[in-house]
Each structure stands twice: as C-alpha cells, then as structure tokens.
Amino acid sequence: MRICKERNKQSIDDRAAVSVLVDDGKQHKYQQNEAVYARHHAVVKYQAAGKQHNVMEKACDYLYERDWRRLTPQYIGWLCNLLLKIQSYDKMKLWSDRGRDMYPDELIIYVCYLKYYFTVGKKKQFFEELDRLKQSDIVIDKETLELIRTFS
C-alpha cells in the first residue's frame, strides 16, 4: 500500500512539474523534461516488474517445494513472462525446465521455451522446440499458430 501511495505522489509531482513548464511556455525545457519523465516511468515499471517477480518466484518456489501439483502451468508461464521482462534469462530457463518436468504436454511450457530461445538467440534450439510442438498432440491457440506459420 505504501508503494502505491509513493508512486501516486511521484506521478502527481511529475505531472505538476510538466504542467508548470507548459504554463511557462518553455517548450524546449518541456521536451527535455518529458524525456526525463518517460525514462523515470520506464524505471518505475522495471522496478515494479522486479518486485512482482520476487513475490511470484517466492510463491512458486514455495509451491514447488511443498506441493508441486498446486503449481499450475499458468503460474509458471506468468513467472517466465515476468522473468523475461526483467531479462533474468537463467531463472527463466530454470522455471521452463521445472515446468517441462512437471507438465511435459502443456502449451504454455512450450511457449516459455520458445520465448526463451528466441530472446537469447539460440536458433537451433528454438526450431527444435517448434518442431517438437508441431509433432505433439497439444491443441494450439491462435497466437502460437501464427508463430508457427511465421517461422515455418
């Protein structure tokens, strides 16, 4: 709750600073501050993703150690997406591997691997994973089907 209040206060302060600059008619100064404002929000979003990742990873670790059946493929997919956002590729690979061990026939686990291999530039593994997905009996959603069509 405290983080939300601080973030809202920062946002209000930033908007007030921008409006003062506009009122003063200093367009050049406004553009410079707009860039600073954009960078600031990018950093805030990155930090928020990092905090979400920490909480989500701790929860997934707990479930993985205590009762892995409660750790659904969707949770693993969400965690992998957060790890991808903050560029924590080693942990993303770790959770993709854990997901494959627990749920070898889930589409979301294949998608985690595909995103990982594509992002780190491992073309050979990417296409091997794509072929493995094509040969499986998994029902494929529209987004993944478009991915297959693009790279086939």
Side-chain angles (χ1 to χ4, degrees):
M1 193 67 171
R2 193 176 108 222
I3 293 170
C4 291
K5 286 180 182 177
E6 288 174 6
R7 195 174 301 142
N8 285 340
K9 184 177 183 284
Q10 287 174 345
S11 181
I12 290 168
D13 292 343
D14 290 342
R15 278 188 257 138
V18 168
S19 67
V20 166
L21 290 171
V22 171
D23 290 342
D24 289 344
K26 298 177 182 174
Q27 189 64 28
H28 178 68
K29 191 92 169 155
Y30 170 74
Q31 288 172 344
Q32 287 176 341
N33 284 323
E34 189 176 76
V36 170
Y37 181 74
R39 281 195 301 269
H40 168 74
H41 280 288
V43 168
V44 168
K45 284 182 182 180
Y46 182 80
Q47 289 172 344
K51 289 175 185 172
Q52 288 173 345
H53 139 264
N54 286 336
V55 171
M56 184 73 170
E57 187 173 21
K58 285 178 184 177
C60 288
D61 268 334
Y62 179 82
L63 288 174
Y64 183 75
E65 292 171 5
R66 304 290 173 148
D67 185 10
W68 67 267
R69 290 177 298 265
R70 293 179 59 196
L71 182 61
T72 66
Q74 288 75 21
Y75 290 156
I76 295 170
W78 293 335
L79 179 59
C80 286
N81 285 333
L82 283 172
L83 293 169
L84 180 66
K85 267 186 188 175
I86 63 167
Q87 301 173 354
S88 182
Y89 304 124
D90 293 338
K91 288 184 179 182
M92 184 179 179
K93 176 74 166 104
L94 170 74
W95 280 101
S96 296
D97 290 341
R98 286 180 175 179
R100 170 75 39 88
D101 291 341
M102 294 183 288
Y103 304 103
D105 296 326
E106 286 289 333
L107 176 63
I108 198 159
I109 304 301
Y110 280 93
V111 171
C112 289
Y113 272 108
L114 290 171
K115 287 179 180 180
Y116 169 74
Y117 290 136
F118 183 80
T119 304
V120 297
K122 295 185 176 184
K123 291 181 182 180
K124 182 181 178 188
Q125 291 91 339
F126 175 84
F127 287 109
E128 287 173 356
E129 194 68 29
L130 198 57
D131 289 338
R132 191 177 307 154
L133 177 58
K134 286 183 200 176
Q135 295 169 3
S136 71
D137 294 331
I138 296 174
V139 177
I140 299 172
D141 62 2
K142 282 184 178 181
E143 182 181 328
T144 310
L145 188 58
E146 287 178 23
L147 179 77
I148 291 171
R149 287 180 182 154
T150 301
F151 290 103
S152 293

mmCIF file with all atom_site columns, all heavy atoms in Angstrom, residues 71-94:
data_model
loop_
_atom_site.group_PDB
_atom_site.id
_atom_site.type_symbol
_atom_site.label_atom_id
_atom_site.label_alt_id
_atom_site.label_comp_id
_atom_site.label_asym_id
_atom_site.label_entity_id
_atom_site.label_seq_id
_atom_site.pdbx_PDB_ins_code
_atom_site.Cartn_x
_atom_site.Cartn_y
_atom_site.Cartn_z
_atom_site.occupancy
_atom_site.B_iso_or_equiv
_atom_site.pdbx_formal_charge
_atom_site.auth_seq_id
_atom_site.auth_comp_id
_atom_site.auth_asym_id
_atom_site.auth_atom_id
_atom_site.pdbx_PDB_model_num
ATOM 1   N N   . LEU A 1 71 ? 1.162  -25.954 -8.176  1.00 0.00 ? 71 LEU A N   1
ATOM 2   C CA  . LEU A 1 71 ? 1.873  -25.014 -9.043  1.00 0.00 ? 71 LEU A CA  1
ATOM 3   C C   . LEU A 1 71 ? 1.442  -25.294 -10.479 1.00 0.00 ? 71 LEU A C   1
ATOM 4   O O   . LEU A 1 71 ? 1.949  -26.180 -11.144 1.00 0.00 ? 71 LEU A O   1
ATOM 5   C CB  . LEU A 1 71 ? 3.386  -25.196 -8.882  1.00 0.00 ? 71 LEU A CB  1
ATOM 6   C CG  . LEU A 1 71 ? 4.277  -24.270 -9.681  1.00 0.00 ? 71 LEU A CG  1
ATOM 7   C CD1 . LEU A 1 71 ? 4.036  -22.818 -9.284  1.00 0.00 ? 71 LEU A CD1 1
ATOM 8   C CD2 . LEU A 1 71 ? 5.732  -24.626 -9.449  1.00 0.00 ? 71 LEU A CD2 1
ATOM 9   N N   . THR A 1 72 ? 0.470  -24.531 -10.946 1.00 0.00 ? 72 THR A N   1
ATOM 10  C CA  . THR A 1 72 ? -0.121 -24.793 -12.254 1.00 0.00 ? 72 THR A CA  1
ATOM 11  C C   . THR A 1 72 ? 0.792  -24.311 -13.382 1.00 0.00 ? 72 THR A C   1
ATOM 12  O O   . THR A 1 72 ? 1.666  -23.465 -13.166 1.00 0.00 ? 72 THR A O   1
ATOM 13  C CB  . THR A 1 72 ? -1.483 -24.082 -12.395 1.00 0.00 ? 72 THR A CB  1
ATOM 14  O OG1 . THR A 1 72 ? -1.259 -22.670 -12.385 1.00 0.00 ? 72 THR A OG1 1
ATOM 15  C CG2 . THR A 1 72 ? -2.433 -24.482 -11.277 1.00 0.00 ? 72 THR A CG2 1
ATOM 16  N N   . PRO A 1 73 ? 0.588  -24.825 -14.590 1.00 0.00 ? 73 PRO A N   1
ATOM 17  C CA  . PRO A 1 73 ? 1.370  -24.345 -15.736 1.00 0.00 ? 73 PRO A CA  1
ATOM 18  C C   . PRO A 1 73 ? 1.185  -22.837 -15.979 1.00 0.00 ? 73 PRO A C   1
ATOM 19  O O   . PRO A 1 73 ? 2.112  -22.163 -16.408 1.00 0.00 ? 73 PRO A O   1
ATOM 20  C CB  . PRO A 1 73 ? 0.823  -25.141 -16.917 1.00 0.00 ? 73 PRO A CB  1
ATOM 21  C CG  . PRO A 1 73 ? 0.134  -26.308 -16.331 1.00 0.00 ? 73 PRO A CG  1
ATOM 22  C CD  . PRO A 1 73 ? -0.298 -25.925 -14.961 1.00 0.00 ? 73 PRO A CD  1
ATOM 23  N N   . GLN A 1 74 ? -0.002 -22.315 -15.662 1.00 0.00 ? 74 GLN A N   1
ATOM 24  C CA  . GLN A 1 74 ? -0.250 -20.887 -15.840 1.00 0.00 ? 74 GLN A CA  1
ATOM 25  C C   . GLN A 1 74 ? 0.647  -20.053 -14.926 1.00 0.00 ? 74 GLN A C   1
ATOM 26  O O   . GLN A 1 74 ? 1.167  -19.015 -15.339 1.00 0.00 ? 74 GLN A O   1
ATOM 27  C CB  . GLN A 1 74 ? -1.723 -20.541 -15.578 1.00 0.00 ? 74 GLN A CB  1
ATOM 28  C CG  . GLN A 1 74 ? -2.662 -21.011 -16.656 1.00 0.00 ? 74 GLN A CG  1
ATOM 29  C CD  . GLN A 1 74 ? -2.926 -22.519 -16.615 1.00 0.00 ? 74 GLN A CD  1
ATOM 30  O OE1 . GLN A 1 74 ? -2.741 -23.175 -15.598 1.00 0.00 ? 74 GLN A OE1 1
ATOM 31  N NE2 . GLN A 1 74 ? -3.336 -23.060 -17.739 1.00 0.00 ? 74 GLN A NE2 1
ATOM 32  N N   . TYR A 1 75 ? 0.838  -20.508 -13.675 1.00 0.00 ? 75 TYR A N   1
ATOM 33  C CA  . TYR A 1 75 ? 1.730  -19.796 -12.767 1.00 0.00 ? 75 TYR A CA  1
ATOM 34  C C   . TYR A 1 75 ? 3.150  -19.765 -13.321 1.00 0.00 ? 75 TYR A C   1
ATOM 35  O O   . TYR A 1 75 ? 3.828  -18.749 -13.271 1.00 0.00 ? 75 TYR A O   1
ATOM 36  C CB  . TYR A 1 75 ? 1.752  -20.447 -11.381 1.00 0.00 ? 75 TYR A CB  1
ATOM 37  C CG  . TYR A 1 75 ? 0.491  -20.303 -10.571 1.00 0.00 ? 75 TYR A CG  1
ATOM 38  C CD1 . TYR A 1 75 ? 0.188  -21.208 -9.574  1.00 0.00 ? 75 TYR A CD1 1
ATOM 39  C CD2 . TYR A 1 75 ? -0.405 -19.264 -10.802 1.00 0.00 ? 75 TYR A CD2 1
ATOM 40  C CE1 . TYR A 1 75 ? -0.965 -21.094 -8.813  1.00 0.00 ? 75 TYR A CE1 1
ATOM 41  C CE2 . TYR A 1 75 ? -1.567 -19.137 -10.050 1.00 0.00 ? 75 TYR A CE2 1
ATOM 42  C CZ  . TYR A 1 75 ? -1.838 -20.055 -9.057  1.00 0.00 ? 75 TYR A CZ  1
ATOM 43  O OH  . TYR A 1 75 ? -2.972 -19.937 -8.312  1.00 0.00 ? 75 TYR A OH  1
ATOM 44  N N   . ILE A 1 76 ? 3.577  -20.902 -13.843 1.00 0.00 ? 76 ILE A N   1
ATOM 45  C CA  . ILE A 1 76 ? 4.925  -20.975 -14.405 1.00 0.00 ? 76 ILE A CA  1
ATOM 46  C C   . ILE A 1 76 ? 5.039  -20.052 -15.617 1.00 0.00 ? 76 ILE A C   1
ATOM 47  O O   . ILE A 1 76 ? 6.032  -19.351 -15.774 1.00 0.00 ? 76 ILE A O   1
ATOM 48  C CB  . ILE A 1 76 ? 5.285  -22.432 -14.769 1.00 0.00 ? 76 ILE A CB  1
ATOM 49  C CG1 . ILE A 1 76 ? 5.340  -23.279 -13.494 1.00 0.00 ? 76 ILE A CG1 1
ATOM 50  C CG2 . ILE A 1 76 ? 6.603  -22.495 -15.533 1.00 0.00 ? 76 ILE A CG2 1
ATOM 51  C CD1 . ILE A 1 76 ? 5.448  -24.761 -13.723 1.00 0.00 ? 76 ILE A CD1 1
ATOM 52  N N   . GLY A 1 77 ? 4.014  -20.015 -16.450 1.00 0.00 ? 77 GLY A N   1
ATOM 53  C CA  . GLY A 1 77 ? 4.011  -19.120 -17.603 1.00 0.00 ? 77 GLY A CA  1
ATOM 54  C C   . GLY A 1 77 ? 4.064  -17.660 -17.195 1.00 0.00 ? 77 GLY A C   1
ATOM 55  O O   . GLY A 1 77 ? 4.802  -16.864 -17.784 1.00 0.00 ? 77 GLY A O   1
ATOM 56  N N   . TRP A 1 78 ? 3.285  -17.285 -16.177 1.00 0.00 ? 78 TRP A N   1
ATOM 57  C CA  . TRP A 1 78 ? 3.302  -15.903 -15.687 1.00 0.00 ? 78 TRP A CA  1
ATOM 58  C C   . TRP A 1 78 ? 4.681  -15.535 -15.159 1.00 0.00 ? 78 TRP A C   1
ATOM 59  O O   . TRP A 1 78 ? 5.195  -14.454 -15.426 1.00 0.00 ? 78 TRP A O   1
ATOM 60  C CB  . TRP A 1 78 ? 2.252  -15.699 -14.599 1.00 0.00 ? 78 TRP A CB  1
ATOM 61  C CG  . TRP A 1 78 ? 0.839  -15.797 -15.086 1.00 0.00 ? 78 TRP A CG  1
ATOM 62  C CD1 . TRP A 1 78 ? 0.377  -15.573 -16.360 1.00 0.00 ? 78 TRP A CD1 1
ATOM 63  C CD2 . TRP A 1 78 ? -0.295 -16.156 -14.311 1.00 0.00 ? 78 TRP A CD2 1
ATOM 64  N NE1 . TRP A 1 78 ? -0.975 -15.769 -16.406 1.00 0.00 ? 78 TRP A NE1 1
ATOM 65  C CE2 . TRP A 1 78 ? -1.426 -16.125 -15.165 1.00 0.00 ? 78 TRP A CE2 1
ATOM 66  C CE3 . TRP A 1 78 ? -0.487 -16.499 -12.982 1.00 0.00 ? 78 TRP A CE3 1
ATOM 67  C CZ2 . TRP A 1 78 ? -2.701 -16.414 -14.735 1.00 0.00 ? 78 TRP A CZ2 1
ATOM 68  C CZ3 . TRP A 1 78 ? -1.768 -16.797 -12.548 1.00 0.00 ? 78 TRP A CZ3 1
ATOM 69  C CH2 . TRP A 1 78 ? -2.861 -16.753 -13.415 1.00 0.00 ? 78 TRP A CH2 1
ATOM 70  N N   . LEU A 1 79 ? 5.268  -16.454 -14.386 1.00 0.00 ? 79 LEU A N   1
ATOM 71  C CA  . LEU A 1 79 ? 6.593  -16.198 -13.837 1.00 0.00 ? 79 LEU A CA  1
ATOM 72  C C   . LEU A 1 79 ? 7.622  -16.057 -14.956 1.00 0.00 ? 79 LEU A C   1
ATOM 73  O O   . LEU A 1 79 ? 8.457  -15.146 -14.932 1.00 0.00 ? 79 LEU A O   1
ATOM 74  C CB  . LEU A 1 79 ? 7.005  -17.308 -12.874 1.00 0.00 ? 79 LEU A CB  1
ATOM 75  C CG  . LEU A 1 79 ? 8.393  -17.181 -12.251 1.00 0.00 ? 79 LEU A CG  1
ATOM 76  C CD1 . LEU A 1 79 ? 8.518  -15.872 -11.478 1.00 0.00 ? 79 LEU A CD1 1
ATOM 77  C CD2 . LEU A 1 79 ? 8.688  -18.363 -11.361 1.00 0.00 ? 79 LEU A CD2 1
ATOM 78  N N   . CYS A 1 80 ? 7.562  -16.918 -15.947 1.00 0.00 ? 80 CYS A N   1
ATOM 79  C CA  . CYS A 1 80 ? 8.506  -16.829 -17.078 1.00 0.00 ? 80 CYS A CA  1
ATOM 80  C C   . CYS A 1 80 ? 8.355  -15.501 -17.811 1.00 0.00 ? 80 CYS A C   1
ATOM 81  O O   . CYS A 1 80 ? 9.358  -14.894 -18.216 1.00 0.00 ? 80 CYS A O   1
ATOM 82  C CB  . CYS A 1 80 ? 8.311  -17.997 -18.044 1.00 0.00 ? 80 CYS A CB  1
ATOM 83  S SG  . CYS A 1 80 ? 8.966  -19.548 -17.402 1.00 0.00 ? 80 CYS A SG  1
ATOM 84  N N   . ASN A 1 81 ? 7.134  -15.027 -17.978 1.00 0.00 ? 81 ASN A N   1
ATOM 85  C CA  . ASN A 1 81 ? 6.930  -13.726 -18.629 1.00 0.00 ? 81 ASN A CA  1
ATOM 86  C C   . ASN A 1 81 ? 7.518  -12.583 -17.803 1.00 0.00 ? 81 ASN A C   1
ATOM 87  O O   . ASN A 1 81 ? 8.107  -11.658 -18.359 1.00 0.00 ? 81 ASN A O   1
ATOM 88  C CB  . ASN A 1 81 ? 5.448  -13.481 -18.909 1.00 0.00 ? 81 ASN A CB  1
ATOM 89  C CG  . ASN A 1 81 ? 4.951  -14.293 -20.076 1.00 0.00 ? 81 ASN A CG  1
ATOM 90  O OD1 . ASN A 1 81 ? 5.711  -14.640 -20.976 1.00 0.00 ? 81 ASN A OD1 1
ATOM 91  N ND2 . ASN A 1 81 ? 3.673  -14.611 -20.067 1.00 0.00 ? 81 ASN A ND2 1
ATOM 92  N N   . LEU A 1 82 ? 7.357  -12.638 -16.486 1.00 0.00 ? 82 LEU A N   1
ATOM 93  C CA  . LEU A 1 82 ? 7.968  -11.619 -15.629 1.00 0.00 ? 82 LEU A CA  1
ATOM 94  C C   . LEU A 1 82 ? 9.492  -11.677 -15.700 1.00 0.00 ? 82 LEU A C   1
ATOM 95  O O   . LEU A 1 82 ? 10.158 -10.645 -15.770 1.00 0.00 ? 82 LEU A O   1
ATOM 96  C CB  . LEU A 1 82 ? 7.517  -11.799 -14.175 1.00 0.00 ? 82 LEU A CB  1
ATOM 97  C CG  . LEU A 1 82 ? 6.124  -11.314 -13.833 1.00 0.00 ? 82 LEU A CG  1
ATOM 98  C CD1 . LEU A 1 82 ? 5.749  -11.731 -12.412 1.00 0.00 ? 82 LEU A CD1 1
ATOM 99  C CD2 . LEU A 1 82 ? 6.034  -9.815  -13.966 1.00 0.00 ? 82 LEU A CD2 1
ATOM 100 N N   . LEU A 1 83 ? 10.032 -12.891 -15.692 1.00 0.00 ? 83 LEU A N   1
ATOM 101 C CA  . LEU A 1 83 ? 11.481 -13.042 -15.779 1.00 0.00 ? 83 LEU A CA  1
ATOM 102 C C   . LEU A 1 83 ? 12.002 -12.546 -17.122 1.00 0.00 ? 83 LEU A C   1
ATOM 103 O O   . LEU A 1 83 ? 13.091 -11.968 -17.196 1.00 0.00 ? 83 LEU A O   1
ATOM 104 C CB  . LEU A 1 83 ? 11.869 -14.505 -15.556 1.00 0.00 ? 83 LEU A CB  1
ATOM 105 C CG  . LEU A 1 83 ? 11.608 -15.042 -14.146 1.00 0.00 ? 83 LEU A CG  1
ATOM 106 C CD1 . LEU A 1 83 ? 11.762 -16.547 -14.102 1.00 0.00 ? 83 LEU A CD1 1
ATOM 107 C CD2 . LEU A 1 83 ? 12.519 -14.366 -13.128 1.00 0.00 ? 83 LEU A CD2 1
ATOM 108 N N   . LEU A 1 84 ? 11.229 -12.746 -18.161 1.00 0.00 ? 84 LEU A N   1
ATOM 109 C CA  . LEU A 1 84 ? 11.598 -12.241 -19.480 1.00 0.00 ? 84 LEU A CA  1
ATOM 110 C C   . LEU A 1 84 ? 11.619 -10.715 -19.484 1.00 0.00 ? 84 LEU A C   1
ATOM 111 O O   . LEU A 1 84 ? 12.531 -10.098 -20.035 1.00 0.00 ? 84 LEU A O   1
ATOM 112 C CB  . LEU A 1 84 ? 10.616 -12.766 -20.537 1.00 0.00 ? 84 LEU A CB  1
ATOM 113 C CG  . LEU A 1 84 ? 10.852 -12.343 -21.972 1.00 0.00 ? 84 LEU A CG  1
ATOM 114 C CD1 . LEU A 1 84 ? 12.158 -12.916 -22.502 1.00 0.00 ? 84 LEU A CD1 1
ATOM 115 C CD2 . LEU A 1 84 ? 9.694  -12.809 -22.850 1.00 0.00 ? 84 LEU A CD2 1
ATOM 116 N N   . LYS A 1 85 ? 10.620 -10.098 -18.827 1.00 0.00 ? 85 LYS A N   1
ATOM 117 C CA  . LYS A 1 85 ? 10.553 -8.633  -18.752 1.00 0.00 ? 85 LYS A CA  1
ATOM 118 C C   . LYS A 1 85 ? 11.783 -8.030  -18.096 1.00 0.00 ? 85 LYS A C   1
ATOM 119 O O   . LYS A 1 85 ? 12.274 -6.993  -18.527 1.00 0.00 ? 85 LYS A O   1
ATOM 120 C CB  . LYS A 1 85 ? 9.329  -8.187  -17.943 1.00 0.00 ? 85 LYS A CB  1
ATOM 121 C CG  . LYS A 1 85 ? 8.116  -7.908  -18.718 1.00 0.00 ? 85 LYS A CG  1
ATOM 122 C CD  . LYS A 1 85 ? 7.062  -7.333  -17.780 1.00 0.00 ? 85 LYS A CD  1
ATOM 123 C CE  . LYS A 1 85 ? 5.737  -7.213  -18.474 1.00 0.00 ? 85 LYS A CE  1
ATOM 124 N NZ  . LYS A 1 85 ? 4.693  -6.771  -17.557 1.00 0.00 ? 85 LYS A NZ  1
ATOM 125 N N   . ILE A 1 86 ? 12.254 -8.673  -17.045 1.00 0.00 ? 86 ILE A N   1
ATOM 126 C CA  . ILE A 1 86 ? 13.405 -8.115  -16.325 1.00 0.00 ? 86 ILE A CA  1
ATOM 127 C C   . ILE A 1 86 ? 14.724 -8.730  -16.799 1.00 0.00 ? 86 ILE A C   1
ATOM 128 O O   . ILE A 1 86 ? 15.756 -8.515  -16.192 1.00 0.00 ? 86 ILE A O   1
ATOM 129 C CB  . ILE A 1 86 ? 13.248 -8.263  -14.805 1.00 0.00 ? 86 ILE A CB  1
ATOM 130 C CG1 . ILE A 1 86 ? 13.203 -9.723  -14.384 1.00 0.00 ? 86 ILE A CG1 1
ATOM 131 C CG2 . ILE A 1 86 ? 12.045 -7.504  -14.307 1.00 0.00 ? 86 ILE A CG2 1
ATOM 132 C CD1 . ILE A 1 86 ? 13.352 -9.929  -12.896 1.00 0.00 ? 86 ILE A CD1 1
ATOM 133 N N   . GLN A 1 87 ? 14.673 -9.494  -17.854 1.00 0.00 ? 87 GLN A N   1
ATOM 134 C CA  . GLN A 1 87 ? 15.845 -10.074 -18.503 1.00 0.00 ? 87 GLN A CA  1
ATOM 135 C C   . GLN A 1 87 ? 16.629 -11.008 -17.581 1.00 0.00 ? 87 GLN A C   1
ATOM 136 O O   . GLN A 1 87 ? 17.852 -11.021 -17.583 1.00 0.00 ? 87 GLN A O   1
ATOM 137 C CB  . GLN A 1 87 ? 16.753 -8.975  -19.051 1.00 0.00 ? 87 GLN A CB  1
ATOM 138 C CG  . GLN A 1 87 ? 16.050 -8.092  -20.051 1.00 0.00 ? 87 GLN A CG  1
ATOM 139 C CD  . GLN A 1 87 ? 16.878 -6.900  -20.477 1.00 0.00 ? 87 GLN A CD  1
ATOM 140 O OE1 . GLN A 1 87 ? 17.954 -6.648  -19.960 1.00 0.00 ? 87 GLN A OE1 1
ATOM 141 N NE2 . GLN A 1 87 ? 16.360 -6.160  -21.448 1.00 0.00 ? 87 GLN A NE2 1
ATOM 142 N N   . SER A 1 88 ? 15.921 -11.795 -16.804 1.00 0.00 ? 88 SER A N   1
ATOM 143 C CA  . SER A 1 88 ? 16.541 -12.791 -15.938 1.00 0.00 ? 88 SER A CA  1
ATOM 144 C C   . SER A 1 88 ? 16.422 -14.149 -16.647 1.00 0.00 ? 88 SER A C   1
ATOM 145 O O   . SER A 1 88 ? 15.591 -14.987 -16.295 1.00 0.00 ? 88 SER A O   1
ATOM 146 C CB  . SER A 1 88 ? 15.846 -12.810 -14.580 1.00 0.00 ? 88 SER A CB  1
ATOM 147 O OG  . SER A 1 88 ? 16.467 -13.724 -13.721 1.00 0.00 ? 88 SER A OG  1
ATOM 148 N N   . TYR A 1 89 ? 17.272 -14.332 -17.641 1.00 0.00 ? 89 TYR A N   1
ATOM 149 C CA  . TYR A 1 89 ? 17.140 -15.475 -18.546 1.00 0.00 ? 89 TYR A CA  1
ATOM 150 C C   . TYR A 1 89 ? 17.520 -16.806 -17.893 1.00 0.00 ? 89 TYR A C   1
ATOM 151 O O   . TYR A 1 89 ? 16.915 -17.833 -18.211 1.00 0.00 ? 89 TYR A O   1
ATOM 152 C CB  . TYR A 1 89 ? 17.962 -15.250 -19.808 1.00 0.00 ? 89 TYR A CB  1
ATOM 153 C CG  . TYR A 1 89 ? 17.595 -13.975 -20.526 1.00 0.00 ? 89 TYR A CG  1
ATOM 154 C CD1 . TYR A 1 89 ? 18.538 -13.010 -20.809 1.00 0.00 ? 89 TYR A CD1 1
ATOM 155 C CD2 . TYR A 1 89 ? 16.273 -13.717 -20.890 1.00 0.00 ? 89 TYR A CD2 1
ATOM 156 C CE1 . TYR A 1 89 ? 18.196 -11.832 -21.449 1.00 0.00 ? 89 TYR A CE1 1
ATOM 157 C CE2 . TYR A 1 89 ? 15.918 -12.546 -21.524 1.00 0.00 ? 89 TYR A CE2 1
ATOM 158 C CZ  . TYR A 1 89 ? 16.880 -11.606 -21.804 1.00 0.00 ? 89 TYR A CZ  1
ATOM 159 O OH  . TYR A 1 89 ? 16.536 -10.440 -22.428 1.00 0.00 ? 89 TYR A OH  1
ATOM 160 N N   . ASP A 1 90 ? 18.485 -16.799 -16.981 1.00 0.00 ? 90 ASP A N   1
ATOM 161 C CA  . ASP A 1 90 ? 18.866 -18.050 -16.313 1.00 0.00 ? 90 ASP A CA  1
ATOM 162 C C   . ASP A 1 90 ? 17.707 -18.601 -15.493 1.00 0.00 ? 90 ASP A C   1
ATOM 163 O O   . ASP A 1 90 ? 17.422 -19.804 -15.529 1.00 0.00 ? 90 ASP A O   1
ATOM 164 C CB  . ASP A 1 90 ? 20.084 -17.835 -15.411 1.00 0.00 ? 90 ASP A CB  1
ATOM 165 C CG  . ASP A 1 90 ? 21.344 -17.510 -16.197 1.00 0.00 ? 90 ASP A CG  1
ATOM 166 O OD1 . ASP A 1 90 ? 21.398 -17.856 -17.398 1.00 0.00 ? 90 ASP A OD1 1
ATOM 167 O OD2 . ASP A 1 90 ? 22.266 -16.910 -15.609 1.00 0.00 ? 90 ASP A OD2 1
ATOM 168 N N   . LYS A 1 91 ? 17.040 -17.712 -14.762 1.00 0.00 ? 91 LYS A N   1
ATOM 169 C CA  . LYS A 1 91 ? 15.897 -18.154 -13.956 1.00 0.00 ? 91 LYS A CA  1
ATOM 170 C C   . LYS A 1 91 ? 14.727 -18.564 -14.849 1.00 0.00 ? 91 LYS A C   1
ATOM 171 O O   . LYS A 1 91 ? 13.982 -19.482 -14.521 1.00 0.00 ? 91 LYS A O   1
ATOM 172 C CB  . LYS A 1 91 ? 15.476 -17.056 -12.983 1.00 0.00 ? 91 LYS A CB  1
ATOM 173 C CG  . LYS A 1 91 ? 16.460 -16.874 -11.854 1.00 0.00 ? 91 LYS A CG  1
ATOM 174 C CD  . LYS A 1 91 ? 15.976 -15.859 -10.857 1.00 0.00 ? 91 LYS A CD  1
ATOM 175 C CE  . LYS A 1 91 ? 16.970 -15.707 -9.723  1.00 0.00 ? 91 LYS A CE  1
ATOM 176 N NZ  . LYS A 1 91 ? 16.499 -14.750 -8.723  1.00 0.00 ? 91 LYS A NZ  1
ATOM 177 N N   . MET A 1 92 ? 14.578 -17.871 -15.976 1.00 0.00 ? 92 MET A N   1
ATOM 178 C CA  . MET A 1 92 ? 13.515 -18.238 -16.911 1.00 0.00 ? 92 MET A CA  1
ATOM 179 C C   . MET A 1 92 ? 13.738 -19.661 -17.436 1.00 0.00 ? 92 MET A C   1
ATOM 180 O O   . MET A 1 92 ? 12.807 -20.448 -17.531 1.00 0.00 ? 92 MET A O   1
ATOM 181 C CB  . MET A 1 92 ? 13.460 -17.250 -18.070 1.00 0.00 ? 92 MET A CB  1
ATOM 182 C CG  . MET A 1 92 ? 12.321 -17.506 -19.020 1.00 0.00 ? 92 MET A CG  1
ATOM 183 S SD  . MET A 1 92 ? 12.324 -16.281 -20.331 1.00 0.00 ? 92 MET A SD  1
ATOM 184 C CE  . MET A 1 92 ? 10.928 -16.835 -21.277 1.00 0.00 ? 92 MET A CE  1
ATOM 185 N N   . LYS A 1 93 ? 14.984 -19.984 -17.755 1.00 0.00 ? 93 LYS A N   1
ATOM 186 C CA  . LYS A 1 93 ? 15.318 -21.329 -18.229 1.00 0.00 ? 93 LYS A CA  1
ATOM 187 C C   . LYS A 1 93 ? 15.063 -22.346 -17.123 1.00 0.00 ? 93 LYS A C   1
ATOM 188 O O   . LYS A 1 93 ? 14.503 -23.425 -17.371 1.00 0.00 ? 93 LYS A O   1
ATOM 189 C CB  . LYS A 1 93 ? 16.794 -21.357 -18.673 1.00 0.00 ? 93 LYS A CB  1
ATOM 190 C CG  . LYS A 1 93 ? 17.299 -22.720 -19.094 1.00 0.00 ? 93 LYS A CG  1
ATOM 191 C CD  . LYS A 1 93 ? 16.771 -23.130 -20.436 1.00 0.00 ? 93 LYS A CD  1
ATOM 192 C CE  . LYS A 1 93 ? 17.542 -24.301 -20.990 1.00 0.00 ? 93 LYS A CE  1
ATOM 193 N NZ  . LYS A 1 93 ? 16.853 -25.563 -20.899 1.00 0.00 ? 93 LYS A NZ  1
ATOM 194 N N   . LEU A 1 94 ? 15.454 -22.004 -15.896 1.00 0.00 ? 94 LEU A N   1
ATOM 195 C CA  . LEU A 1 94 ? 15.237 -22.899 -14.758 1.00 0.00 ? 94 LEU A CA  1
ATOM 196 C C   . LEU A 1 94 ? 13.751 -23.235 -14.601 1.00 0.00 ? 94 LEU A C   1
ATOM 197 O O   . LEU A 1 94 ? 13.369 -24.402 -14.472 1.00 0.00 ? 94 LEU A O   1
ATOM 198 C CB  . LEU A 1 94 ? 15.766 -22.264 -13.471 1.00 0.00 ? 94 LEU A CB  1
ATOM 199 C CG  . LEU A 1 94 ? 15.391 -22.982 -12.179 1.00 0.00 ? 94 LEU A CG  1
ATOM 200 C CD1 . LEU A 1 94 ? 16.207 -24.254 -12.028 1.00 0.00 ? 94 LEU A CD1 1
ATOM 201 C CD2 . LEU A 1 94 ? 15.578 -22.065 -10.986 1.00 0.00 ? 94 LEU A CD2 1
#
